[in-house]
Amino acid sequence: MKLLYYFSYIICMLLFMSCQVDNRRNQPPPKSDLSASNLLQKDSIFLYIDHSHYDFGTVNKVEMPELIIDFKMKNNGPDPLVILKADVSCGCVSANYPKEPIMPNKEKKLQVKINTINQHGFFNKTIILKSNAPEKYTLVRIKGNIM
């Protein structure tokens, strides 16, 4: 019986210890001008994508085996914007994005290509851009119908 109380006591202590809050995580990072850590997250960076939802309508895959669309991306904030990566919803989609920072009030191009050869019917593709903006993820949606 003592053994059962002993193990219960140890388990309770472990649970209480695991619930402690680490206050060091809530402290802001030290400030520096254009260091990599400083560019990773700023509250003053705003990514704007012109027409982030695009509808190709009905396309013939024989006439258009590859759909290409360019999106204008603009940094509307006072600090450099860095696109960290672009995730695509399908292997038939590729996204080419700028690897260098987008400076304040400057534009760069996001080019998206969709291979239509092995597709038929309605499609709805997404590209998720991860950046150093406060809203870390930006969604770009492309839809259409392949005949």
Side-chain angles (χ1 to χ4, degrees), residues 56-68 90-93 113-121 123 125 142-147:
F56 268 104
T58 301
V59 295
N60 185 327
K61 66 180 168 184
V62 174
E63 294 173 7
M64 298 180 74
E66 185 175 66
L67 303 176
I68 300 172
C90 176
C92 64
V93 179
K113 295 180 183 181
I114 301 174
N115 185 341
T116 63
I117 295 297
N118 295 322
Q119 297 185 48
H120 185 73
F123 69 89
K125 309 295 181 185
I142 303 170
K143 65 180 183 175
N145 189 19
I146 301 174
M147 304 296 262

Side-chain angles (χ1 to χ4, degrees), residues 2 5 8 21 31 34 39 42 45 52-53 71 75 79 87 89 101-102 104 113 117 120-121 125 129 137 144:
K2 283 186 178 183
Y5 287 126
S8 298
V21 176
K31 295 193 178 202
L34 285 177
L39 286 177
K42 284 269 195 176
I45 299 170
S52 62
H53 289 68
F71 294 94
N75 178 3
D79 294 308
D87 290 326
S89 62
I102 303 172
K113 295 180 183 181
I117 295 297
H120 185 73
K125 309 295 181 185
L129 298 173
Y137 299 99

Side-chain angles (χ1 to χ4, degrees), residues 6-19:
Y6 178 71
F7 283 121
S8 298
Y9 177 74
I10 290 176
I11 290 173
C12 287
M13 292 305 293
L14 288 173
L15 285 172
F16 285 117
M17 289 173 55
S18 66
C19 292

Side-chain angles (χ1 to χ4, degrees), residues 30-46:
K31 295 193 178 202
S32 62
D33 43 309
L34 285 177
S35 67
S37 63
N38 193 26
L39 286 177
L40 287 182
Q41 186 173 4
K42 284 269 195 176
D43 290 338
S44 58
I45 299 170
F46 303 100

Side-chain angles (χ1 to χ4, degrees), residues 84-99:
L84 302 170
K85 70 177 186 171
D87 290 326
V88 295
S89 62
C90 176
C92 64
V93 179
S94 65
N96 186 13
Y97 61 94
K99 308 303 187 265

Side-chain angles (χ1 to χ4, degrees), residues 72-88:
K72 286 192 285 186
M73 299 187 302
K74 184 176 181 182
N75 178 3
N76 284 338
D79 294 308
L81 170 72
V82 179
I83 304 296
L84 302 170
K85 70 177 186 171
D87 290 326
V88 295

